[in-house]
Amino acid sequence: MRRSPDQRDDDRLLREGARRFLEETCPWTPCPPDEAAQDAARREMAQLGWFGLGLPEALGGAGADALQALAIIEEAGRVLLRRSLAADVLVAPRLMRDVGGALASLAPGLAAGTVRFALVPENPGTGIGATRTGSGLRLDGRSALALDAGRATHWLVEAGGHSPNGAMLLCVEAHPAVVEMRRLIDGRTGAVLTFDGLALPAEAVLATGHEAVARMAEIRDCAVAALVADSYGALAAGLDLTVGYLNQRRQFGQTLGSFQAVQHLMADAFCDLETLRSLLLWTAAALDGEPAERRRAARTAKVTLGREGLAAASRLIQASGGIAMTEEYRVGHVYKRLQVAAGLHGGTEAQIRELATATLSPEGRPDDEASAA
Amino acid sequence: MRRSPDQRDDDRLLREGARRFLEETCPWTPCPPDEAAQDAARREMAQLGWFGLGLPEALGGAGADALQALAIIEEAGRVLLRRSLAADVLVAPRLMRDVGGALASLAPGLAAGTVRFALVPENPGTGIGATRTGSGLRLDGRSALALDAGRATHWLVEAGGHSPNGAMLLCVEAHPAVVEMRRLIDGRTGAVLTFDGLALPAEAVLATGHEAVARMAEIRDCAVAALVADSYGALAAGLDLTVGYLNQRRQFGQTLGSFQAVQHLMADAFCDLETLRSLLLWTAAALDGEPAERRRAARTAKVTLGREGLAAASRLIQASGGIAMTEEYRVGHVYKRLQVAAGLHGGTEAQIRELATATLSPEGRPDDEASAA
Amino acid sequence: MDAFFTDDERAFRAEIRSAIRAMLPADLARKTRAGIHLSREDMARWNALLDANGWAAHHWPEEAGGPGWTPIQRFIFEAECAAADAPPLSVFGIYLVGPTLHAFGSHAQKARYLPPIRSGEEFWCQGYSEPEAGSDLASVRTTARRVEGGWVLNGQKAWTTEGHFADLMICLARTNREVKPQAGLSLFIVDMRAPGVVLTPVITIDGGHSVNTVFLDDVLVGDDALIGEVDQGWGYAKFLLNHERTNNAQVHRSRREFERLKAFAAAPRAGGSPVLDDPAFRRRFAVLEASLSGLEATVLRVLVDQTEGREPGPEASIVKVIGSRLQQAISELAMEVIGEDALELPEAARDEEVAGWTERHLFRRVVTIYAGANEIQKTIIARSTLGLR
Amino acid sequence: MDAFFTDDERAFRAEIRSAIRAMLPADLARKTRAGIHLSREDMARWNALLDANGWAAHHWPEEAGGPGWTPIQRFIFEAECAAADAPPLSVFGIYLVGPTLHAFGSHAQKARYLPPIRSGEEFWCQGYSEPEAGSDLASVRTTARRVEGGWVLNGQKAWTTEGHFADLMICLARTNREVKPQAGLSLFIVDMRAPGVVLTPVITIDGGHSVNTVFLDDVLVGDDALIGEVDQGWGYAKFLLNHERTNNAQVHRSRREFERLKAFAAAPRAGGSPVLDDPAFRRRFAVLEASLSGLEATVLRVLVDQTEGREPGPEASIVKVIGSRLQQAISELAMEVIGEDALELPEAARDEEVAGWTERHLFRRVVTIYAGANEIQKTIIARSTLGLR
């Protein structure tokens, strides 16, 4: 486990390479590029090795850790890339490494870019149920919003309500008929999947019972880490843009950036933003550690994304003024990106509630915080 | 019912007279004046007619309404008067007007200043119980913190847990043996009363059952209105003082008041403060109206006192800097005054919880808010 | 806030309430709920219906065609309109241009322009802001050059809300460069169909079109297009700000939205219990309830002052700051209450109670920026109201 | 935050934890819990106990008598001290004067002054602030006039914490009026018992005495009292700010107080259920937990940078702002959790778990003011870190 993303030279090279590629090939534009262009960019990412990066060497990968995967996701956030990389860069390689089996056979396709995963979370209200049949399984129920599920070749589906009784983690080949597309406010595309007795082969099952519950928790924590990395990238690029604008735009005979009120607004945004990054690094380090700390880190980061992160995005708009209200300007899109991130994988109040449960029970905080008195 | 404290000339005269008297006779000093001086000032207040003001004309009073009583209390807040006037200026006259009976016989003493009341709220944890005996009643239990109870001649005691079963509102002659004095952080004095079978005559009972519950609610709302009036006065005087200081004190070659960050801090404090005053005026108007609106107004004002009011006091300290950290300077005392006010008669979270209950039930908000769609 | 109203005012409220509910077509109420940008047609329809009762120009003086209501009565009327989900009246014609023309316009201007504003036949937009003059209006660069029989205007106006369906613009332009910036401005009436007026839509963060950039390229207006005296435009433009200080608080819309959100949160969700069963959400609603009551009480204080014939006190300066923050807080809460459904573009098919919130929420970021950014308001409060220097 | 620690660091933590718990006298832990201002005697006792292990000057370089720990090890040590309710070390001697003398003092000064700081035999105070120079240190007016064999100091120092029990003061004084304000300052060592040093206590808002005003009236100090070069004092004074950027975050005290408060809130109350049964309080604790973790992670980021040999990144500038707000948020919550018992003066007899909170809470208003008010910090962040201009 590493605790900083700056320790090794190859980290820096990876990040700089990713930034250069993304800025050149996928620079931000107010309207999303067409599907063909996005597909082409994705093929180039495969050639750059992004999807093989996190695969273990035994599966032909580079064995990269979470910090490196999240660095790429953060860079994609900077250009507000309309495709989510979380499933293919972070989650699927981990699962292939740790679960293996039928899933691992998809590794070459993942690395080559022909296999594309989407994370399909269960909707806590409506639920997804998987039942064994003679030949395999049948799937019923309705998913929560799943980023890019309409473009994936494979879905990583949560089923069974997180209780070991009946919990299953599934890898399902994408099935266009069950997809309801959703255009999101930030220009990305999600989908809600409605399963009505979809028949699956037995090999679709990646884990059941307690293992499935544990894997699903891990996937969710990874998904949250990816949302935070993406959001931090989006905010950091938005902050840079805003500082440049404020130093150039004049009002009342001086630059906007010279007004103390604007300076303090930006200082507050910076405090929010760097706190988010600190929690991202904690979460990244915790992804390979104890599940309890991993969950706590991810929840904390998600709460901070929904509170301080969104507040920072609002502050960038406020400091910029009218221009940030227009669809043509990037900062409004940063705000919408954060708004979507805050709403996915459990809203802020739900995360706070879970954090309360995790930290306020008598044995809540582990020994490591020096709270044993 | 009047809806503004500025409508009538006599309101202005009353307020100006009170302010002049208080500033001359009871100006704020870092250390509370000795008891004798405070007693002497109180005798002068009686001569000015403050305690007879709210009594009905039939009891020899001036029939003033809540707005006038609260104006005096607000003015006392400006000089951070160490004695609470809520019981004698606002609550007792109302009760004498509406309940009459044995209590009304104390009216001349109240007006003359020889009878002094204190409000004794029940401690929701430990409770106070009144049980009938052959000759009268016996009182058991422990009160919440009661302002100036150690100096009063009579206590208005809540007993019976607010449920009509066994609820009683009592007027109890002060009994030094049951008093535990409490020095409060803001230089005022409170007491906790422990009743251990104290025998009372039957005439001590002012109300029982549903009427007692209703009266106690009314008393609490009046007490809250008084806390808000006092706090607003304290804050308003603190704001004036701070503006003067900021316009005079220089740092980095300019007055503190010319820094935009300081200006905005003060503008925020002013927004908080004026909102508190608006809610005070609503509560004042509502004190003579429907109980449901009265309760809602008082709770809202108390929540705002505990949140925006305390925030405003903190902002005054922050804007003033080090000087406001010293015991010699008034602004820190304003903060402590607000802290005490926020904690008395139900803390902020309790008030928020009650406000939620009052406004989030299906029939929560009455028709008047134009929400009938 | 019943305690603030007299018996007469309560009777007035009852009358207005039943009248509004009887007048308001259901489809207009539905459209008002569904989004923040209404079409001209919808706004005009409601305007005309109100005008039939003499209520469209409800805050104009009686001699200008207003109903002669007290400030408290106007408050009640606006509250009832909002509560019924009536479309908002156009801010520019009814609230801004009407009172300005009434106060400073010529007899001919009043006769020509006021009636079609009242009836909803003509719509106006406001040409104050420019790319380099947002909160800093004194730096307006659009020029009006004196020519035989009129003026020629050149320049660019920004953030022109409703410009794309307005018939006329009230336009601030520089008529004198020799004096200090505020002193050389004049107010003109510009026909939006005049040659040289070119309009470019600006799509805002919510994906909607309500705002425009307007280019004025050698636009000729007649002598009768000048409002009041030449070079006095700054004073006229400021007049409104002082006159309608409580309007920016948007207290009635906030109350209505809050009540709608509460009702939504109290209803059972697909496969789950109501949001309001969650104590954390209950607490947030209660805290917002307190803030909203604080704003309502503050606005009423200002209006009571006016009703009782006094100048509004210093609290009048804070309602824009507080009201705008509150509007944002309500829609932020709405986004969390609605959850993932709020993350979709408004075009997606949605439950009526969910429609409109996202669009409103995104557009709401503007309310702390426009009409003098809150930072500017705070500086004004600190300097003018508190006397900090 | 186990994930941030290596196995070696975890072993180090276990070792430190048991050592501290074995060393710390129970009465010192109790006094630390009971209030914010400790006596010199109590602080000295703990200082000496630590020094016996070589741990008192734990962040000094090894050659100055420090234990040679990495920044992460120091973090762990401080966390364990706070968690055990060990008295804080004197900020001035250990944290401020020691490193300053080590960096800029003469050999003789180091030999004379460093050992008694380490051992807790001599206490220092800081003579930087003045009545007219709080956050604006460059306006220091205290003068040091060159005389035969030394300097004569005149002036007035304000907010001198621990001055009433300090042996020595590190004093910023003006030695040159001919240059720009920052350039003409020098640092001196002043014996608090020297003739002309007069001290007046300042009672703070919490009713306690930890702060003083110090008058310097023709105080004569020797040549050897000057630290480093004449007129270079500004640079020396700034050195510490850059060197100990994470100290002001007070993250360990905040964590310890938060855990204590949580334990108190989880316990049954007289005649009632635990505060933590109330979902509103649970939510507030959870939100603070998130903020505190954010601060811890940020401090650790800075220390990891140092440990791995890099300059701390821009995040180092934010920990004072965030940490001070958090300290206040924790004690504000404490006041509500404790309720009416928190409104009494500390002298009143109280439950040990309740004692100290009110005093701490009131005194805590200072943390957003001292060590460069947060407004100043934000301006520095905006200008230096973000490059706004």
Side-chain angles (χ1 to χ4, degrees):
Chain A
M1 190 279 310
R2 288 174 308 138
R3 52 189 173 187
S4 95
D6 308 300
Q7 199 183 3
R8 303 188 314 207
D9 280 347
D10 57 342
D11 289 333
R12 202 171 38 74
L13 291 174
L14 176 71
R15 181 184 290 275
E16 285 170 5
R19 184 172 302 188
R20 206 164 39 240
F21 168 78
L22 287 162
E23 281 174 358
E24 282 168 13
T25 314
C26 319
W28 177 77
T29 50
C31 284
D34 63 32
E35 293 292 315
Q38 293 193 47
D39 288 343
R42 208 182 168 289
R43 280 191 296 275
E44 289 193 59
M45 293 172 196
Q47 282 160 21
L48 289 170
W50 287 7
F51 308 121
L53 198 70
L55 288 170
E57 288 173 27
L59 291 177
D65 61 9
L67 268 176
Q68 291 184 308
L70 288 169
I72 288 181
I73 294 169
E74 179 187 323
E75 292 302 321
R78 287 186 70 93
V79 297
L80 300 173
L81 191 75
R82 262 60 174 224
R83 296 271 177 97
S84 167
L85 300 177
D88 292 337
V89 170
L90 182 64
V91 177
R94 280 171 73 94
L95 280 179
M96 288 176 178
R97 180 190 72 190
D98 299 338
V99 178
L103 188 64
S105 67
L106 296 171
L110 173 67
T114 54
V115 169
R116 297 180 301 278
F117 288 94
L119 308 180
V120 180
E122 195 170 357
N123 180 327
T126 51
I128 299 177
T131 38
R132 301 264 183 199
T133 59
S135 55
L137 304 114
R138 57 172 283 162
L139 209 54
D140 292 276
R142 197 169 159 79
S143 78
L145 194 55
L147 273 184
D148 287 322
R151 292 180 184 122
T153 59
H154 292 75
W155 296 328
L156 293 167
V157 177
E158 290 181 357
H162 311 330
S163 103
N165 247 347
M168 271 189 210
L169 178 63
L170 303 162
C171 175
V172 177
E173 280 193 52
H175 211 276
V178 309
V179 173
E180 264 171 56
M181 296 292 273
R182 295 278 194 262
R183 288 183 54 204
L184 302 187
I185 53 175
D186 65 350
R188 289 196 284 180
T189 308
V192 171
L193 311 185
T194 307
F195 302 110
D196 186 12
L198 183 69
L200 301 179
E203 311 89 80
V205 179
L206 300 181
T208 60
H210 284 287
E211 201 209 332
V213 171
R215 287 282 167 218
M216 288 192 247
E218 182 188 345
I219 291 174
R220 258 172 289 137
D221 294 342
C222 288
V224 164
L227 288 174
V228 173
D230 181 274
S231 297
Y232 174 75
L235 279 170
L239 185 91
D240 292 349
L241 183 70
T242 306
V243 167
Y245 177 74
L246 296 174
N247 278 342
Q248 161 255 312
R249 163 98 170 156
R250 299 176 72 82
Q251 213 160 18
F252 300 104
Q254 49 185 110
T255 60
L256 279 180
S258 68
F259 284 98
Q260 201 173 36
V262 173
Q263 291 184 349
H264 287 199
L265 202 56
M266 293 297 287
D268 284 334
F270 183 71
C271 288
D272 295 336
L273 207 137
E274 288 303 302
T275 300
L276 191 62
R277 179 159 156 86
S278 303
L279 291 170
L280 169 62
L281 295 179
W282 178 31
T283 307
L287 282 187
D288 290 314
E290 281 303 302
E293 183 176 354
R294 188 195 71 215
R295 289 248 63 189
R296 195 151 46 81
R299 280 169 183 144
T300 303
K302 188 78 185 346
V303 167
T304 305
L305 161 59
R307 291 167 56 88
E308 280 78 4
L310 259 176
S314 308
R315 289 177 167 128
L316 297 186
I317 295 179
Q318 184 68 24
S320 305
I323 191 174
M325 286 301 299
T326 68
E327 190 73 2
E328 292 298 302
Y329 196 68
R330 196 200 296 209
V331 168
H333 294 260
V334 172
Y335 180 71
K336 291 190 272 192
R337 187 87 160 193
L338 269 283
Q339 194 79 58
V340 170
L344 293 175
H345 296 290
T348 307
E349 284 300 338
Q351 303 283 349
I352 293 173
R353 201 165 44 239
E354 289 180 17
L355 191 60
T357 306
T359 60
L360 296 176
S361 53
E363 77 292 16
R365 307 200 78 252
D367 196 38
D368 73 310
E369 303 300 345
S371 63
Chain B
M1 190 277 313
R2 288 176 306 138
R3 53 189 172 186
S4 94
D6 307 302
Q7 199 184 3
R8 301 188 318 206
D9 280 346
D10 58 341
D11 289 334
R12 201 172 37 75
L13 291 173
L14 177 71
R15 181 184 292 274
E16 285 171 5
R19 183 171 303 187
R20 207 164 38 239
F21 168 77
L22 288 161
E23 281 175 358
E24 282 168 12
T25 314
C26 319
W28 177 77
T29 50
C31 286
D34 62 33
E35 293 292 313
Q38 293 193 46
D39 289 342
R42 207 181 169 289
R43 279 191 296 274
E44 289 194 58
M45 292 171 196
Q47 281 159 20
L48 289 170
W50 288 6
F51 308 120
L53 199 68
L55 288 170
E57 288 173 27
L59 291 176
D65 62 8
L67 268 175
Q68 291 183 309
L70 289 168
I72 288 180
I73 293 169
E74 179 188 323
E75 291 303 320
R78 287 186 69 93
V79 297
L80 299 172
L81 191 75
R82 262 60 173 225
R83 297 271 178 96
S84 167
L85 300 178
D88 291 337
V89 169
L90 181 64
V91 177
R94 279 172 73 95
L95 280 178
M96 288 176 177
R97 181 191 71 190
D98 299 338
V99 178
L103 187 65
S105 67
L106 296 171
L110 173 67
T114 53
V115 169
R116 296 180 303 278
F117 288 94
L119 309 180
V120 180
E122 195 170 358
N123 180 326
T126 50
I128 298 178
T131 38
R132 302 266 183 196
T133 60
S135 55
L137 304 115
R138 57 172 285 162
L139 209 53
D140 292 277
R142 196 171 159 79
S143 77
L145 193 56
L147 273 185
D148 288 322
R151 292 182 185 120
T153 60
H154 293 76
W155 296 327
L156 294 167
V157 177
E158 290 182 357
H162 311 331
S163 102
N165 247 346
M168 269 191 214
L169 178 64
L170 304 163
C171 176
V172 178
E173 279 193 53
H175 211 275
V178 309
V179 173
E180 264 172 57
M181 295 292 274
R182 295 276 193 265
R183 287 184 53 205
L184 303 187
I185 53 174
D186 64 350
R188 289 195 285 180
T189 309
V192 171
L193 312 185
T194 307
F195 303 110
D196 186 11
L198 182 69
L200 300 179
E203 311 88 80
V205 179
L206 300 181
T208 60
H210 285 287
E211 201 209 331
V213 171
R215 289 279 168 219
M216 289 193 250
E218 183 188 343
I219 292 174
R220 258 172 290 137
D221 294 342
C222 288
V224 164
L227 288 174
V228 173
D230 181 274
S231 297
Y232 175 76
L235 279 170
L239 185 91
D240 292 349
L241 183 71
T242 306
V243 167
Y245 177 75
L246 296 175
N247 278 343
Q248 161 256 310
R249 164 100 170 153
R250 299 176 71 82
Q251 213 160 16
F252 301 104
Q254 50 186 108
T255 60
L256 279 179
S258 67
F259 285 98
Q260 201 173 37
V262 174
Q263 291 184 349
H264 288 199
L265 202 56
M266 293 296 287
D268 284 334
F270 183 71
C271 288
D272 295 336
L273 208 134
E274 288 303 304
T275 299
L276 191 62
R277 180 159 157 85
S278 303
L279 291 170
L280 169 62
L281 294 179
W282 178 31
T283 307
L287 282 188
D288 290 314
E290 281 303 302
E293 184 177 354
R294 188 195 71 215
R295 291 247 65 187
R296 193 150 50 80
R299 280 167 182 146
T300 303
K302 188 76 182 355
V303 167
T304 305
L305 161 60
R307 291 168 55 90
E308 281 79 4
L310 260 175
S314 308
R315 288 177 167 129
L316 297 185
I317 296 178
Q318 184 70 22
S320 305
I323 191 173
M325 286 301 300
T326 68
E327 190 73 2
E328 291 298 303
Y329 196 68
R330 195 200 298 209
V331 168
H333 294 259
V334 172
Y335 179 71
K336 292 191 272 192
R337 187 85 159 194
L338 268 283
Q339 194 79 57
V340 170
L344 292 176
H345 296 288
T348 307
E349 285 300 340
Q351 302 284 349
I352 293 173
R353 201 166 45 240
E354 288 180 16
L355 192 59
T357 307
T359 59
L360 296 176
S361 54
E363 76 294 13
R365 307 199 79 250
D367 195 39
D368 74 310
E369 301 301 345
S371 62
Chain C
M1 308 229 147
D2 244 23
F4 272 119
F5 298 119
T6 64
D7 288 341
D8 283 352
E9 286 161 354
R10 284 185 208 123
F12 174 80
R13 180 174 61 196
E15 178 199 321
I16 292 287
R17 179 173 303 176
S18 57
I20 297 280
R21 310 237 157 175
M23 284 160 64
L24 179 65
D27 67 314
L28 281 186
R30 200 162 47 241
K31 283 179 180 170
T32 305
R33 282 193 291 273
I36 203 167
H37 309 303
L38 271 86
S39 71
R40 169 172 173 154
E41 189 189 19
D42 290 334
M43 293 168 79
R45 223 171 114 206
W46 178 237
N47 200 120
L49 286 167
L50 286 178
D51 190 45
N53 272 20
W55 294 349
H58 60 281
H59 68 309
W60 293 10
E62 255 182 299
E63 66 269 27
W69 288 338
T70 66
I72 297 282
Q73 286 177 315
R74 298 199 296 258
F75 177 95
I76 290 170
F77 172 77
E78 289 175 349
E80 291 301 324
C81 285
D85 295 325
L89 290 164
S90 170
V91 173
F92 307 102
I94 293 283
Y95 285 91
L96 189 129
V97 175
T100 303
L101 284 182
H102 179 71
F104 308 109
S106 66
H107 187 78
Q109 284 171 335
K110 293 187 212 182
R112 159 65 187 85
Y113 294 112
L114 292 184
I117 292 177
R118 258 192 344 251
S119 65
E121 287 162 284
E122 276 186 354
F123 276 72
W124 287 69
C125 62
Q126 171 184 308
Y128 286 5
S129 291
E130 299 187 0
E132 298 298 317
S135 287
D136 178 17
L137 267 193
S139 0
V140 157
R141 292 181 185 182
T142 294
T143 56
R145 185 166 38 87
R146 198 77 180 95
V147 295
E148 178 71 29
W151 303 80
V152 171
L153 276 63
N154 276 287
Q156 182 182 347
K157 292 294 174 182
W159 315 117
T160 313
T161 303
E162 296 178 10
H164 54 301
F165 59 63
D167 303 289
L168 297 149
M169 171 190 274
I170 183 165
C171 180
L172 196 61
R174 189 161 303 285
T175 38
N176 190 339
R177 296 166 193 269
E178 311 297 311
V179 290
K180 65 173 186 162
Q182 288 88 338
L185 298 168
S186 304
L187 266 189
F188 294 93
I189 299 166
V190 177
D191 187 327
M192 291 297 282
R193 279 172 229 89
V197 176
V198 177
L199 186 138
T200 314
V202 173
I203 304 302
T204 43
I205 184 176
D206 57 311
H209 171 212
S210 61
V211 173
N212 307 273
T213 302
V214 179
F215 298 88
L216 303 167
D217 186 14
D218 279 338
V219 177
L220 176 69
V221 300
D223 276 336
D224 57 357
L226 176 70
I227 300 175
E229 305 287 317
V230 75
D231 289 357
Q232 299 302 311
W234 179 259
Y236 306 154
K238 289 271 153 182
F239 159 81
L240 250 280
L241 297 176
N242 292 324
H243 194 256
E244 279 295 336
R245 281 199 265 193
T246 60
N247 192 38
N248 278 326
Q250 288 291 333
V251 62
H252 308 296
R253 295 276 147 206
S254 287
R255 170 55 76 187
R256 173 60 187 145
E257 288 180 12
F258 185 68
E259 296 301 327
R260 275 186 69 203
L261 187 63
K262 235 164 63 176
F264 178 75
R269 284 174 293 182
S273 54
V275 170
L276 277 184
D277 283 2
D278 179 339
F281 275 107
R282 290 178 69 79
R283 181 181 188 278
R284 289 179 65 181
F285 272 92
V287 167
L288 272 188
E289 171 70 50
S291 303
L292 189 48
S293 295
L295 178 65
E296 286 169 334
T298 303
V299 168
L300 279 165
R301 265 173 80 190
V302 177
L303 299 179
V304 164
D305 276 350
Q306 289 180 2
T307 305
E308 294 178 357
R310 289 183 302 277
E311 274 296 293
E315 70 277 9
S317 58
I318 69 175
V319 297
K320 196 266 168 170
V321 171
I322 294 181
S324 56
R325 284 199 301 230
L326 193 51
Q327 284 184 78
Q328 292 178 344
I330 291 170
S331 75
E332 283 161 7
L333 178 58
M335 292 297 280
E336 290 198 54
V337 166
I338 297 170
E340 288 188 347
D341 286 346
L343 306 180
E344 296 169 38
L345 266 183
E347 289 92 48
R350 289 218 235 157
D351 187 293
E352 197 195 338
E353 281 308 304
V354 177
W357 279 109
T358 303
E359 186 185 40
R360 261 195 302 271
H361 169 68
L362 295 173
F363 195 71
R364 280 287 152 74
R365 294 256 64 96
V366 84
V367 298
T368 46
I369 296 172
Y370 71 8
N374 281 17
E375 285 73 21
I376 306 236
Q377 302 293 336
K378 286 190 196 175
T379 298
I380 293 172
I381 292 169
R383 292 201 194 149
S384 308
T385 309
L386 299 180
L388 284 166
R389 55 188 66 91
Chain D
M1 307 229 148
D2 243 23
F4 271 118
F5 298 118
T6 64
D7 287 343
D8 283 353
E9 285 160 356
R10 283 186 209 123
F12 174 79
R13 180 173 63 195
E15 178 198 321
I16 292 286
R17 179 173 303 176
S18 56
I20 296 281
R21 308 236 159 176
M23 285 160 64
L24 179 67
D27 67 315
L28 281 185
R30 201 164 44 242
K31 283 179 180 168
T32 305
R33 281 192 292 274
I36 202 166
H37 310 301
L38 271 85
S39 71
R40 170 173 172 152
E41 189 188 21
D42 291 333
M43 293 169 79
R45 223 171 115 207
W46 178 238
N47 199 121
L49 286 166
L50 285 179
D51 190 45
N53 271 21
W55 293 350
H58 59 281
H59 68 309
W60 294 9
E62 254 181 302
E63 66 269 28
W69 288 338
T70 66
I72 297 281
Q73 286 176 316
R74 298 199 296 259
F75 177 95
I76 289 169
F77 172 77
E78 289 175 350
E80 291 301 325
C81 285
D85 296 325
L89 290 165
S90 170
V91 172
F92 307 102
I94 294 283
Y95 284 91
L96 189 128
V97 175
T100 302
L101 283 182
H102 179 72
F104 308 109
S106 67
H107 187 76
Q109 285 170 337
K110 292 186 212 182
R112 158 67 186 86
Y113 294 113
L114 292 183
I117 292 177
R118 254 188 350 246
S119 65
E121 287 161 285
E122 276 186 356
F123 275 72
W124 287 69
C125 62
Q126 171 184 306
Y128 287 6
S129 291
E130 298 187 359
E132 299 297 318
S135 287
D136 178 17
L137 268 192
S139 356
V140 156
R141 292 179 186 184
T142 294
T143 56
R145 186 166 38 88
R146 197 79 180 95
V147 293
E148 178 70 30
W151 304 80
V152 171
L153 276 62
N154 277 287
Q156 181 183 347
K157 293 292 175 183
W159 316 116
T160 314
T161 303
E162 296 178 12
H164 54 301
F165 58 64
D167 303 288
L168 295 149
M169 172 190 274
I170 183 166
C171 179
L172 196 62
R174 187 160 304 285
T175 38
N176 190 338
R177 296 165 191 269
E178 310 297 311
V179 290
K180 64 172 187 162
Q182 288 88 338
L185 298 168
S186 303
L187 266 189
F188 294 93
I189 298 166
V190 178
D191 187 328
M192 291 297 282
R193 281 172 227 87
V197 177
V198 177
L199 186 137
T200 314
V202 173
I203 305 303
T204 42
I205 184 175
D206 57 311
H209 172 212
S210 61
V211 173
N212 306 272
T213 302
V214 179
F215 299 88
L216 304 168
D217 186 14
D218 280 339
V219 177
L220 178 67
V221 300
D223 276 336
D224 56 357
L226 177 71
I227 300 175
E229 304 286 317
V230 73
D231 290 357
Q232 300 300 311
W234 179 259
Y236 306 154
K238 289 271 153 182
F239 159 80
L240 250 279
L241 297 177
N242 293 324
H243 194 255
E244 279 294 338
R245 281 199 265 195
T246 61
N247 192 36
N248 278 326
Q250 288 293 332
V251 61
H252 308 297
R253 294 275 147 205
S254 286
R255 169 55 76 188
R256 174 59 187 145
E257 287 180 13
F258 185 68
E259 296 300 328
R260 275 187 67 204
L261 187 62
K262 235 164 65 176
F264 178 75
R269 284 173 293 181
S273 54
V275 170
L276 276 184
D277 283 3
D278 179 340
F281 275 105
R282 291 177 69 80
R283 180 180 188 276
R284 290 179 63 181
F285 272 94
V287 168
L288 272 188
E289 171 71 50
S291 302
L292 189 47
S293 295
L295 178 65
E296 287 169 334
T298 303
V299 168
L300 279 165
R301 265 173 80 190
V302 177
L303 299 179
V304 164
D305 276 351
Q306 290 179 2
T307 304
E308 294 179 358
R310 289 183 301 276
E311 273 297 292
E315 70 278 10
S317 58
I318 70 175
V319 297
K320 196 266 166 170
V321 172
I322 294 181
S324 57
R325 283 199 301 229
L326 193 51
Q327 284 184 77
Q328 292 178 344
I330 291 170
S331 75
E332 283 161 8
L333 178 58
M335 292 296 281
E336 290 197 54
V337 166
I338 297 171
E340 288 188 347
D341 286 346
L343 307 180
E344 295 170 38
L345 267 183
E347 289 91 48
R350 289 219 235 159
D351 187 294
E352 196 194 339
E353 281 308 305
V354 177
W357 279 109
T358 303
E359 187 184 40
R360 262 196 302 271
H361 169 68
L362 294 173
F363 194 71
R364 280 287 153 73
R365 293 255 65 96
V366 83
V367 299
T368 45
I369 296 171
Y370 71 9
N374 281 19
E375 285 74 21
I376 308 240
Q377 301 293 336
K378 286 189 196 176
T379 299
I380 293 172
I381 292 169
R383 292 201 194 150
S384 308
T385 309
L386 298 181
L388 284 166
R389 55 188 63 91

